[in-house]
Amino acid sequence: MTDRTDLNISAIKARLEKERGELLHYDETDKDVRGTQELDQTRVGRLSRMDALQMQEMAKAGERRRKQQLVRIEQALERIEEGDYGYCAKCDEEIPAKRLEWDPATPCCVNCA
């Protein structure tokens, strides 16, 4: 574990795991919106089809953001296990506790970000 005494590592780990669970759950419930949109073109107008396609693209963009955040969370959990959590991945300086409080998955200090 990290030697940072100004961080509550167990609380941070719990928060990261909770966020990971929420993202995975939301990803599972959002699958039907991201799937292929099949519309009966004889009953649905052009604007409704465009709206359905736009909703599909927005869902896909949300999925990409969730996947990126899941990667960041997994990396943060790895850093906790390795004892590197709380230190910048680029310059190895301490990341301020307030920054980690705001975003516990952040890998870099403000200067390197």
Side-chain angles (χ1 to χ4, degrees), residues 4 7-9 11-13 15-17 19-20 23 65 68-77 79-80 85-88 94-110 113:
R4 300 264 317 251
L7 301 176
N8 183 344
I9 297 297
I12 291 170
K13 186 175 180 179
R15 182 175 165 195
L16 288 166
E17 289 172 344
E19 185 178 351
R20 177 178 56 187
L23 288 169
R65 285 190 303 273
Q68 289 171 343
Q69 183 63 9
L70 283 169
V71 168
R72 292 177 76 238
I73 289 170
E74 292 299 331
Q75 290 172 343
L77 290 170
R79 287 192 304 275
I80 288 173
Y85 185 81
Y87 296 94
C88 179
E94 280 190 4
I95 299 172
K98 287 287 186 186
R99 180 168 170 79
L100 293 170
E101 183 181 314
W102 181 75
D103 181 8
T106 191
C108 299
C109 66
V110 175

